[in-house]
Amino acid sequence: MKCREAAEHASALLDHDLDLTLRARLRLHLAACAPCRRFAEQVRATRDLLRGAPAPAPDPGREDAVVAALLRGKPEPDDGP
């Protein structure tokens, strides 16, 4: 496995979302490659940090804008994020 492929699968490894063969290949790569191990640890730390963060409060007018846009047949409201 090359480093690019390892980076692409780092998050899936943490989420236990890889088949046995790919998981084994990735673990072997991480055992031999310090930069990829550090990257995988950064992914884990970022995920853990984000999971611990409070969810942002919803914008009270946003729900009305989304409903109005859906009723007009548009995928998103016109007023931006």
Side-chain angles (χ1 to χ4, degrees), residues 11-74:
S11 182
L13 177 68
L14 296 173
D15 293 334
H16 307 288
D17 197 24
L18 295 176
D19 65 47
L20 181 61
T21 303
L22 187 52
R23 186 171 63 239
R25 288 180 54 227
L26 180 53
R27 287 186 181 273
L28 284 171
H29 181 83
L30 293 177
C33 183
C36 285
R37 268 195 316 278
R38 284 192 298 274
F39 176 77
E41 187 51 43
Q42 289 172 345
V43 171
R44 178 190 312 272
T46 301
R47 182 194 65 178
D48 292 348
L49 182 66
L50 290 174
R51 283 187 176 168
D59 178 1
R62 186 71 176 158
E63 183 179 344
D64 293 338
V66 170
V67 170
L70 290 171
L71 291 174
R72 287 192 312 268
K74 293 185 176 183

